Amino acid sequence: ASAPEVNYQAGTSPLADVPMYQSANPKAPKMTQAEFDRARQTYFERCAGCHGVLRKGATGKPLTPDITLAKGTDYLKVFIAYGSPAGMPNWQTSGEMTEADVDLMARFIQQDPPQPPEWGMADMKKTWKIVVEPKDRPTRKMNNYNIANIFSTTLRDTGEVALIDGDTKQIINIVKTGYAVHITRTSASGRYLFVIGRDGRINMIDLWMPKPDNVAEIRMGLEARSVDTSKYKGKEGDFTDKLAIAGAYWPPQFVIMDGNTLEPLKIVSTRGVTVDTQDYHPEPRVASIVASHFKPEFIVNVKETGKTLMVDYSDINALKVTELGSARYLHDGGWDSTKRYFMVAANNSNKVGVIDAKEGKMEAIVDVGKIPHPGRGANFVHPKFGPVWSTGHLGDDTISLIGTDPKKHKQYAFKEVAKLKGPGGGALFIKSHPKSTHLYSDAPLNPDPKISQSVVVYDIKNLDKGYTVLPIAEWAGLPDDGGAKRVVQPEFNKAGDEVWFSVWSAKDKASALVVVDDKTLKLKAVIKDPRIITPTGHFNVNNTQHDVY
Ligand code: DHE
């Protein structure tokens, strides 16, 4: 089996189905059109995540024809079939590709990379739809839901999100969205939800409607992962619910939109030069985006160039972008408890960048474990080190704690102050809550089902005691249908006394949500419904709106 971090990146890309121009390289081995088409499909499904769309390399090596032609078909076939200790999966010996597939891919990567189309303003406008005009929307909340405690749960493979009432655990609505929604964020007021599919489709959901549903949508790119909204209110203006922003993997760009209608206003390309070697990179993908509370700014993290862009949105016709050099392969991250420092994982550099949103500078770059993957991370007060932010890792079994209080705990600030030991690698998300004394960590990509189907909990007051295992998938009481039942993403309710988990199986297998009582660590509820298909991320409205984690 391949390492967890490889499986994580070898997911399908919507670009597999996009028409593209393919030139034949006269020096490369011959291929028929049918072979090109099949190879291209496989490349975007299995390879592009690591090697990039244009094969310039990211976490995987570059595979441009100048390199691959020199290696030749036989050499490439061995590499693809057997993999490498550096992380290349063994596609043939693992049974995931046949010998014919491997031969096809070895010939394909010697051709010029096909270039997917751009996606500019005209394309966006064509897909932009206001479902309910702002003037026709409710002027007050038209339902009895406690909207601050609604959860938005991604139903990955059906292209939907489930809106679930956190108080009653009943499904409020299943909303049609883009494919495999990656994240949900709220407007500053908490009234609207913004979700973005892997295919770049954004849906804006109005929680004031009698039955909350879509009010606007747009496709902002061909492949994407991140969306957020303007949060600043202060002397430079009130931007509550004014603007939205989304970042694309392809084309490499971000777009600023009207926060009430999703009308696209400004597109900014992220193509440019890398932070370290200062070489041009043609496809720097946009990873995490957050909105600053200190300034009218979006913080946009660009993966391949390793740059954090501080985008001042106070006048988008005179857009000011401050470029901070962090480290390559920026991915996910979250705020420290004061929301002044944004902690962003540079995953394949094994570092966490600390961005001071108040001063607009890189505060520190902290060495952590192998392939940090925080989600948004977890904040808590450590008995010795004071306020810390924490991240788990895909590539090792540790949790890194980073001090975040330069005022009262200066000697620990922005250093890795401790490592907790977890059950194994393959961790994706970690979570705590100001009202909780627990720290939860999942490990959905661990190859051992015992680990991937449970979570571990640490007692913050007694971290030396080690962890307690909660068998979440077992508690779900699902049929023994061979489903993977990966337990993914702890998320607290508004009160901070319950933790929700997804039990994620394939589309044709049973899945569920499990709710745990945070005080007793006992099972509180299981949410099962035939409509809960492939649940992955879930986002509590209050905690997402106020960045509580
Ligand atoms: Fe994610 C966050 C990208 C695989 C579920 N994921 C993010 C973010 C990025 C990202 C850039 C940060 C967004 C932000 O905060 O603005 N994710 C990618 C990938 O490129 C990758 C490795 C491969 C891919 O093909 O997508 C990938 N992610 C996954 C999964 O396999 C997961 C488990 C299920 C899925 O949908 O495919 C998954 N990613 C999530 C979730 C978050 C996320 C639930 C939000 C975490 C949070 O707490 O904010």
Side-chain angles (χ1 to χ4, degrees), residues 392-436:
H393 298 89
L394 265 163
D396 70 29
D397 63 356
T398 65
I399 292 171
S400 293
L401 311 187
I402 299 175
T404 57
D405 179 14
K407 287 213 179 80
K408 295 202 191 106
H409 297 84
K410 194 161 187 278
Q411 70 273 41
Y412 304 126
F414 311 119
K415 296 192 180 102
E416 187 191 59
V417 290
K419 277 183 194 289
L420 307 179
K421 183 134 173 68
L428 286 181
F429 304 111
I430 187 166
K431 198 65 60 79
S432 192
H433 186 282
K435 296 231 173 80
S436 172

mmCIF file of all heavy atoms in Angstrom, residues 392-436:
data_model
loop_
_atom_site.group_PDB
_atom_site.id
_atom_site.type_symbol
_atom_site.label_atom_id
_atom_site.label_comp_id
_atom_site.label_asym_id
_atom_site.label_seq_id
_atom_site.Cartn_x
_atom_site.Cartn_y
_atom_site.Cartn_z
ATOM 1 N N GLY A 392 -1.565 18.026 13.873
ATOM 2 C CA GLY A 392 -1.145 16.639 13.673
ATOM 3 C C GLY A 392 -0.367 16.539 12.372
ATOM 4 O O GLY A 392 -0.129 17.554 11.692
ATOM 5 N N HIS A 393 0.071 15.319 12.040
ATOM 6 C CA HIS A 393 0.884 15.119 10.834
ATOM 7 C C HIS A 393 0.387 13.928 10.031
ATOM 8 O O HIS A 393 -0.076 12.945 10.592
ATOM 9 C CB HIS A 393 2.349 14.896 11.230
ATOM 10 C CG HIS A 393 2.948 16.064 11.943
ATOM 11 N ND1 HIS A 393 2.895 16.213 13.303
ATOM 12 C CD2 HIS A 393 3.581 17.166 11.460
ATOM 13 C CE1 HIS A 393 3.482 17.348 13.646
ATOM 14 N NE2 HIS A 393 3.914 17.953 12.547
ATOM 15 N N LEU A 394 0.525 14.066 8.718
ATOM 16 C CA LEU A 394 0.217 12.933 7.843
ATOM 17 C C LEU A 394 1.339 11.906 7.869
ATOM 18 O O LEU A 394 1.117 10.719 7.722
ATOM 19 C CB LEU A 394 0.079 13.442 6.405
ATOM 20 C CG LEU A 394 -1.326 13.754 5.937
ATOM 21 C CD1 LEU A 394 -1.265 14.615 4.689
ATOM 22 C CD2 LEU A 394 -2.068 12.465 5.635
ATOM 23 N N GLY A 395 2.563 12.390 8.031
ATOM 24 C CA GLY A 395 3.713 11.536 7.818
ATOM 25 C C GLY A 395 4.357 10.967 9.069
ATOM 26 O O GLY A 395 5.282 10.177 8.966
ATOM 27 N N ASP A 396 3.931 11.373 10.265
ATOM 28 C CA ASP A 396 4.437 10.725 11.479
ATOM 29 C C ASP A 396 3.347 10.715 12.548
ATOM 30 O O ASP A 396 2.253 11.227 12.342
ATOM 31 C CB ASP A 396 5.758 11.355 11.958
ATOM 32 C CG ASP A 396 5.589 12.759 12.505
ATOM 33 O OD1 ASP A 396 4.513 13.084 13.040
ATOM 34 O OD2 ASP A 396 6.545 13.550 12.402
ATOM 35 N N ASP A 397 3.694 10.135 13.709
ATOM 36 C CA ASP A 397 2.653 9.907 14.718
ATOM 37 C C ASP A 397 2.658 10.972 15.804
ATOM 38 O O ASP A 397 2.260 10.718 16.933
ATOM 39 C CB ASP A 397 2.821 8.512 15.337
ATOM 40 C CG ASP A 397 4.145 8.380 16.076
ATOM 41 O OD1 ASP A 397 4.954 9.333 16.036
ATOM 42 O OD2 ASP A 397 4.365 7.331 16.702
ATOM 43 N N THR A 398 3.124 12.187 15.477
ATOM 44 C CA THR A 398 3.205 13.206 16.527
ATOM 45 C C THR A 398 2.201 14.335 16.315
ATOM 46 O O THR A 398 1.688 14.535 15.212
ATOM 47 C CB THR A 398 4.607 13.843 16.575
ATOM 48 O OG1 THR A 398 4.812 14.559 15.349
ATOM 49 C CG2 THR A 398 5.696 12.803 16.755
ATOM 50 N N ILE A 399 1.956 15.050 17.408
ATOM 51 C CA ILE A 399 1.202 16.304 17.365
ATOM 52 C C ILE A 399 2.156 17.377 17.870
ATOM 53 O O ILE A 399 2.747 17.225 18.946
ATOM 54 C CB ILE A 399 -0.054 16.206 18.261
ATOM 55 C CG1 ILE A 399 -1.044 15.215 17.650
ATOM 56 C CG2 ILE A 399 -0.689 17.573 18.461
ATOM 57 C CD1 ILE A 399 -2.212 14.869 18.551
ATOM 58 N N SER A 400 2.351 18.430 17.079
ATOM 59 C CA SER A 400 3.261 19.499 17.483
ATOM 60 C C SER A 400 2.475 20.606 18.169
ATOM 61 O O SER A 400 1.430 21.026 17.669
ATOM 62 C CB SER A 400 3.956 20.101 16.262
ATOM 63 O OG SER A 400 4.816 19.163 15.685
ATOM 64 N N LEU A 401 3.007 21.086 19.295
ATOM 65 C CA LEU A 401 2.409 22.227 19.988
ATOM 66 C C LEU A 401 3.330 23.435 19.796
ATOM 67 O O LEU A 401 4.531 23.343 20.054
ATOM 68 C CB LEU A 401 2.253 21.944 21.488
ATOM 69 C CG LEU A 401 1.608 20.625 21.914
ATOM 70 C CD1 LEU A 401 1.389 20.611 23.433
ATOM 71 C CD2 LEU A 401 0.285 20.390 21.198
ATOM 72 N N ILE A 402 2.743 24.538 19.347
ATOM 73 C CA ILE A 402 3.523 25.758 19.102
ATOM 74 C C ILE A 402 2.998 26.854 20.025
ATOM 75 O O ILE A 402 1.783 27.129 20.018
ATOM 76 C CB ILE A 402 3.399 26.187 17.624
ATOM 77 C CG1 ILE A 402 3.954 25.082 16.717
ATOM 78 C CG2 ILE A 402 4.110 27.518 17.371
ATOM 79 C CD1 ILE A 402 3.763 25.349 15.239
ATOM 80 N N GLY A 403 3.881 27.466 20.806
ATOM 81 C CA GLY A 403 3.478 28.560 21.695
ATOM 82 C C GLY A 403 3.025 29.759 20.874
ATOM 83 O O GLY A 403 3.620 30.087 19.852
ATOM 84 N N THR A 404 1.943 30.437 21.328
ATOM 85 C CA THR A 404 1.404 31.561 20.540
ATOM 86 C C THR A 404 1.223 32.829 21.371
ATOM 87 O O THR A 404 0.473 33.712 20.987
ATOM 88 C CB THR A 404 0.033 31.187 19.925
ATOM 89 O OG1 THR A 404 -0.858 30.803 20.982
ATOM 90 C CG2 THR A 404 0.161 30.073 18.909
ATOM 91 N N ASP A 405 1.889 32.890 22.519
ATOM 92 C CA ASP A 405 1.672 34.064 23.380
ATOM 93 C C ASP A 405 2.968 34.840 23.609
ATOM 94 O O ASP A 405 3.657 34.638 24.601
ATOM 95 C CB ASP A 405 1.093 33.582 24.727
ATOM 96 C CG ASP A 405 0.869 34.738 25.678
ATOM 97 O OD1 ASP A 405 0.894 35.910 25.228
ATOM 98 O OD2 ASP A 405 0.679 34.466 26.883
ATOM 99 N N PRO A 406 3.312 35.749 22.691
ATOM 100 C CA PRO A 406 4.591 36.469 22.821
ATOM 101 C C PRO A 406 4.594 37.458 23.989
ATOM 102 O O PRO A 406 5.662 37.938 24.373
ATOM 103 C CB PRO A 406 4.717 37.207 21.485
ATOM 104 C CG PRO A 406 3.356 37.239 20.894
ATOM 105 C CD PRO A 406 2.568 36.124 21.484
ATOM 106 N N LYS A 407 3.433 37.754 24.571
ATOM 107 C CA LYS A 407 3.425 38.726 25.683
ATOM 108 C C LYS A 407 3.796 38.061 27.004
ATOM 109 O O LYS A 407 4.755 38.445 27.648
ATOM 110 C CB LYS A 407 2.035 39.371 25.787
ATOM 111 C CG LYS A 407 1.785 40.356 24.645
ATOM 112 C CD LYS A 407 0.908 41.518 25.094
ATOM 113 C CE LYS A 407 0.699 42.496 23.948
ATOM 114 N NZ LYS A 407 -0.342 42.014 23.013
ATOM 115 N N LYS A 408 3.011 37.037 27.402
ATOM 116 C CA LYS A 408 3.228 36.468 28.740
ATOM 117 C C LYS A 408 4.085 35.194 28.739
ATOM 118 O O LYS A 408 4.492 34.729 29.790
ATOM 119 C CB LYS A 408 1.874 36.167 29.391
ATOM 120 C CG LYS A 408 1.061 37.427 29.659
ATOM 121 C CD LYS A 408 0.016 37.173 30.750
ATOM 122 C CE LYS A 408 -0.965 38.309 30.856
ATOM 123 N NZ LYS A 408 -2.280 37.955 30.294
ATOM 124 N N HIS A 409 4.273 34.624 27.573
ATOM 125 C CA HIS A 409 5.092 33.391 27.497
ATOM 126 C C HIS A 409 6.091 33.533 26.360
ATOM 127 O O HIS A 409 6.151 32.718 25.453
ATOM 128 C CB HIS A 409 4.198 32.161 27.274
ATOM 129 C CG HIS A 409 3.246 31.907 28.385
ATOM 130 N ND1 HIS A 409 2.035 32.535 28.488
ATOM 131 C CD2 HIS A 409 3.336 31.083 29.472
ATOM 132 C CE1 HIS A 409 1.409 32.119 29.592
ATOM 133 N NE2 HIS A 409 2.172 31.239 30.198
ATOM 134 N N LYS A 410 6.847 34.624 26.443
ATOM 135 C CA LYS A 410 7.716 35.020 25.348
ATOM 136 C C LYS A 410 8.711 33.923 24.950
ATOM 137 O O LYS A 410 8.972 33.697 23.765
ATOM 138 C CB LYS A 410 8.500 36.278 25.772
ATOM 139 C CG LYS A 410 9.187 36.988 24.627
ATOM 140 C CD LYS A 410 9.514 38.416 25.020
ATOM 141 C CE LYS A 410 10.039 39.200 23.837
ATOM 142 N NZ LYS A 410 11.427 39.035 23.541
ATOM 143 N N GLN A 411 9.266 33.228 25.968
ATOM 144 C CA GLN A 411 10.303 32.227 25.672
ATOM 145 C C GLN A 411 9.771 31.048 24.866
ATOM 146 O O GLN A 411 10.529 30.301 24.279
ATOM 147 C CB GLN A 411 11.009 31.759 26.968
ATOM 148 C CG GLN A 411 10.176 30.904 27.918
ATOM 149 C CD GLN A 411 9.336 31.723 28.909
ATOM 150 O OE1 GLN A 411 8.737 32.749 28.550
ATOM 151 N NE2 GLN A 411 9.257 31.268 30.141
ATOM 152 N N TYR A 412 8.438 30.878 24.855
ATOM 153 C CA TYR A 412 7.849 29.747 24.126
ATOM 154 C C TYR A 412 7.195 30.177 22.804
ATOM 155 O O TYR A 412 6.720 29.343 22.039
ATOM 156 C CB TYR A 412 6.784 29.054 24.983
ATOM 157 C CG TYR A 412 7.298 28.593 26.328
ATOM 158 C CD1 TYR A 412 6.665 28.975 27.507
ATOM 159 C CD2 TYR A 412 8.419 27.764 26.409
ATOM 160 C CE1 TYR A 412 7.140 28.548 28.734
ATOM 161 C CE2 TYR A 412 8.899 27.345 27.639
ATOM 162 C CZ TYR A 412 8.255 27.738 28.801
ATOM 163 O OH TYR A 412 8.728 27.318 30.012
ATOM 164 N N ALA A 413 7.141 31.487 22.593
ATOM 165 C CA ALA A 413 6.340 31.984 21.467
ATOM 166 C C ALA A 413 6.925 31.550 20.125
ATOM 167 O O ALA A 413 8.121 31.731 19.870
ATOM 168 C CB ALA A 413 6.235 33.500 21.529
ATOM 169 N N PHE A 414 6.085 30.957 19.304
ATOM 170 C CA PHE A 414 6.410 30.572 17.936
ATOM 171 C C PHE A 414 7.611 29.625 17.855
ATOM 172 O O PHE A 414 8.459 29.711 16.978
ATOM 173 C CB PHE A 414 6.542 31.822 17.042
ATOM 174 C CG PHE A 414 5.351 32.708 17.248
ATOM 175 C CD1 PHE A 414 5.471 33.998 17.726
ATOM 176 C CD2 PHE A 414 4.073 32.209 17.018
ATOM 177 C CE1 PHE A 414 4.354 34.777 17.979
ATOM 178 C CE2 PHE A 414 2.949 32.976 17.269
ATOM 179 C CZ PHE A 414 3.088 34.269 17.748
ATOM 180 N N LYS A 415 7.613 28.721 18.849
ATOM 181 C CA LYS A 415 8.555 27.604 18.843
ATOM 182 C C LYS A 415 7.737 26.340 19.043
ATOM 183 O O LYS A 415 6.687 26.380 19.688
ATOM 184 C CB LYS A 415 9.533 27.729 20.003
ATOM 185 C CG LYS A 415 10.417 28.941 19.894
ATOM 186 C CD LYS A 415 11.562 28.861 20.898
ATOM 187 C CE LYS A 415 12.422 30.084 20.745
ATOM 188 N NZ LYS A 415 12.181 31.097 21.769
ATOM 189 N N GLU A 416 8.248 25.246 18.524
ATOM 190 C CA GLU A 416 7.611 23.972 18.847
ATOM 191 C C GLU A 416 8.019 23.645 20.280
ATOM 192 O O GLU A 416 9.183 23.352 20.544
ATOM 193 C CB GLU A 416 8.073 22.870 17.891
ATOM 194 C CG GLU A 416 7.305 21.572 18.101
ATOM 195 C CD GLU A 416 7.925 20.392 17.364
ATOM 196 O OE1 GLU A 416 9.108 20.093 17.630
ATOM 197 O OE2 GLU A 416 7.240 19.789 16.522
ATOM 198 N N VAL A 417 7.052 23.717 21.199
ATOM 199 C CA VAL A 417 7.393 23.575 22.617
ATOM 200 C C VAL A 417 7.239 22.146 23.116
ATOM 201 O O VAL A 417 7.783 21.773 24.150
ATOM 202 C CB VAL A 417 6.557 24.528 23.504
ATOM 203 C CG1 VAL A 417 6.987 25.959 23.267
ATOM 204 C CG2 VAL A 417 5.056 24.351 23.240
ATOM 205 N N ALA A 418 6.449 21.341 22.403
ATOM 206 C CA ALA A 418 6.285 19.939 22.818
ATOM 207 C C ALA A 418 5.741 19.140 21.661
ATOM 208 O O ALA A 418 5.178 19.702 20.703
ATOM 209 C CB ALA A 418 5.331 19.854 24.001
ATOM 210 N N LYS A 419 5.958 17.826 21.763
ATOM 211 C CA LYS A 419 5.353 16.898 20.800
ATOM 212 C C LYS A 419 4.548 15.889 21.599
ATOM 213 O O LYS A 419 5.067 15.314 22.549
ATOM 214 C CB LYS A 419 6.444 16.131 20.052
ATOM 215 C CG LYS A 419 7.049 16.859 18.869
ATOM 216 C CD LYS A 419 8.054 15.907 18.205
ATOM 217 C CE LYS A 419 8.966 16.596 17.217
ATOM 218 N NZ LYS A 419 8.330 17.023 15.986
ATOM 219 N N LEU A 420 3.292 15.674 21.215
ATOM 220 C CA LEU A 420 2.512 14.603 21.829
ATOM 221 C C LEU A 420 2.625 13.394 20.920
ATOM 222 O O LEU A 420 2.753 13.538 19.706
ATOM 223 C CB LEU A 420 1.034 14.991 21.950
ATOM 224 C CG LEU A 420 0.707 16.306 22.643
ATOM 225 C CD1 LEU A 420 -0.807 16.515 22.628
ATOM 226 C CD2 LEU A 420 1.237 16.280 24.070
ATOM 227 N N LYS A 421 2.521 12.229 21.521
ATOM 228 C CA LYS A 421 2.607 11.023 20.703
ATOM 229 C C LYS A 421 1.186 10.551 20.392
ATOM 230 O O LYS A 421 0.353 10.419 21.275
ATOM 231 C CB LYS A 421 3.393 9.961 21.488
ATOM 232 C CG LYS A 421 3.604 8.695 20.733
ATOM 233 C CD LYS A 421 5.056 8.236 20.862
ATOM 234 C CE LYS A 421 5.260 6.868 20.246
ATOM 235 N NZ LYS A 421 5.121 6.840 18.793
ATOM 236 N N GLY A 422 0.934 10.318 19.095
ATOM 237 C CA GLY A 422 -0.361 9.805 18.675
ATOM 238 C C GLY A 422 -0.257 8.347 18.294
ATOM 239 O O GLY A 422 0.790 7.733 18.460
ATOM 240 N N PRO A 423 -1.360 7.803 17.735
ATOM 241 C CA PRO A 423 -1.364 6.374 17.446
ATOM 242 C C PRO A 423 -0.625 5.992 16.151
ATOM 243 O O PRO A 423 -0.307 4.837 15.949
ATOM 244 C CB PRO A 423 -2.850 6.056 17.315
ATOM 245 C CG PRO A 423 -3.473 7.347 16.890
ATOM 246 C CD PRO A 423 -2.649 8.432 17.495
ATOM 247 N N GLY A 424 -0.362 6.944 15.271
ATOM 248 C CA GLY A 424 0.282 6.603 13.991
ATOM 249 C C GLY A 424 0.076 7.755 13.042
ATOM 250 O O GLY A 424 -0.642 8.700 13.369
ATOM 251 N N GLY A 425 0.688 7.736 11.865
ATOM 252 C CA GLY A 425 0.505 8.820 10.902
ATOM 253 C C GLY A 425 -0.878 8.775 10.270
ATOM 254 O O GLY A 425 -1.716 7.964 10.657
ATOM 255 N N GLY A 426 -1.079 9.645 9.306
ATOM 256 C CA GLY A 426 -2.359 9.658 8.592
ATOM 257 C C GLY A 426 -3.391 10.548 9.239
ATOM 258 O O GLY A 426 -4.576 10.430 8.970
ATOM 259 N N ALA A 427 -2.929 11.474 10.108
ATOM 260 C CA ALA A 427 -3.860 12.400 10.761
ATOM 261 C C ALA A 427 -4.209 13.532 9.803
ATOM 262 O O ALA A 427 -3.347 14.028 9.077
ATOM 263 C CB ALA A 427 -3.233 12.962 12.027
ATOM 264 N N LEU A 428 -5.461 13.954 9.812
ATOM 265 C CA LEU A 428 -5.860 15.103 8.993
ATOM 266 C C LEU A 428 -6.328 16.287 9.837
ATOM 267 O O LEU A 428 -5.999 17.417 9.532
ATOM 268 C CB LEU A 428 -6.973 14.720 8.019
ATOM 269 C CG LEU A 428 -6.594 13.867 6.813
ATOM 270 C CD1 LEU A 428 -7.826 13.615 5.937
ATOM 271 C CD2 LEU A 428 -5.514 14.540 5.972
ATOM 272 N N PHE A 429 -7.119 16.021 10.872
ATOM 273 C CA PHE A 429 -7.729 17.148 11.581
ATOM 274 C C PHE A 429 -7.643 16.981 13.089
ATOM 275 O O PHE A 429 -7.713 15.884 13.617
ATOM 276 C CB PHE A 429 -9.192 17.308 11.147
ATOM 277 C CG PHE A 429 -9.349 17.473 9.662
ATOM 278 C CD1 PHE A 429 -9.930 16.482 8.885
ATOM 279 C CD2 PHE A 429 -8.873 18.609 9.025
ATOM 280 C CE1 PHE A 429 -10.045 16.619 7.504
ATOM 281 C CE2 PHE A 429 -8.979 18.754 7.646
ATOM 282 C CZ PHE A 429 -9.569 17.764 6.883
ATOM 283 N N ILE A 430 -7.511 18.149 13.747
ATOM 284 C CA ILE A 430 -7.337 18.193 15.188
ATOM 285 C C ILE A 430 -8.284 19.285 15.684
ATOM 286 O O ILE A 430 -8.533 20.251 14.964
ATOM 287 C CB ILE A 430 -5.855 18.496 15.479
ATOM 288 C CG1 ILE A 430 -5.529 18.399 16.947
ATOM 289 C CG2 ILE A 430 -5.408 19.836 14.940
ATOM 290 C CD1 ILE A 430 -4.016 18.368 17.194
ATOM 291 N N LYS A 431 -8.815 19.138 16.889
ATOM 292 C CA LYS A 431 -9.788 20.159 17.316
ATOM 293 C C LYS A 431 -9.876 20.256 18.823
ATOM 294 O O LYS A 431 -9.725 19.259 19.531
ATOM 295 C CB LYS A 431 -11.171 19.802 16.731
ATOM 296 C CG LYS A 431 -12.229 20.909 16.668
ATOM 297 C CD LYS A 431 -11.918 22.065 15.761
ATOM 298 C CE LYS A 431 -11.700 21.790 14.308
ATOM 299 N NZ LYS A 431 -12.902 21.607 13.522
ATOM 300 N N SER A 432 -10.105 21.500 19.316
ATOM 301 C CA SER A 432 -10.465 21.722 20.706
ATOM 302 C C SER A 432 -11.462 22.882 20.729
ATOM 303 O O SER A 432 -11.913 23.339 19.664
ATOM 304 C CB SER A 432 -9.240 22.017 21.570
ATOM 305 O OG SER A 432 -9.604 21.950 22.942
ATOM 306 N N HIS A 433 -11.802 23.350 21.931
ATOM 307 C CA HIS A 433 -12.779 24.432 22.057
ATOM 308 C C HIS A 433 -12.471 25.134 23.375
ATOM 309 O O HIS A 433 -12.085 24.473 24.346
ATOM 310 C CB HIS A 433 -14.196 23.827 22.071
ATOM 311 C CG HIS A 433 -15.288 24.848 22.063
ATOM 312 N ND1 HIS A 433 -15.663 25.538 23.187
ATOM 313 C CD2 HIS A 433 -16.084 25.292 21.055
ATOM 314 C CE1 HIS A 433 -16.639 26.379 22.870
ATOM 315 N NE2 HIS A 433 -16.921 26.250 21.582
ATOM 316 N N PRO A 434 -12.637 26.469 23.451
ATOM 317 C CA PRO A 434 -12.290 27.181 24.682
ATOM 318 C C PRO A 434 -12.994 26.614 25.924
ATOM 319 O O PRO A 434 -12.472 26.703 27.030
ATOM 320 C CB PRO A 434 -12.767 28.620 24.419
ATOM 321 C CG PRO A 434 -12.921 28.738 22.943
ATOM 322 C CD PRO A 434 -13.104 27.369 22.378
ATOM 323 N N LYS A 435 -14.169 26.003 25.745
ATOM 324 C CA LYS A 435 -14.898 25.478 26.913
ATOM 325 C C LYS A 435 -14.501 24.033 27.241
ATOM 326 O O LYS A 435 -14.999 23.461 28.201
ATOM 327 C CB LYS A 435 -16.401 25.504 26.624
ATOM 328 C CG LYS A 435 -16.955 26.895 26.432
ATOM 329 C CD LYS A 435 -18.184 27.108 27.328
ATOM 330 C CE LYS A 435 -18.649 28.541 27.290
ATOM 331 N NZ LYS A 435 -19.449 28.803 26.083
ATOM 332 N N SER A 436 -13.654 23.442 26.408
ATOM 333 C CA SER A 436 -13.340 22.020 26.578
ATOM 334 C C SER A 436 -11.961 21.852 27.221
ATOM 335 O O SER A 436 -11.090 22.712 27.069
ATOM 336 C CB SER A 436 -13.363 21.342 25.211
ATOM 337 O OG SER A 436 -12.888 20.028 25.301
#
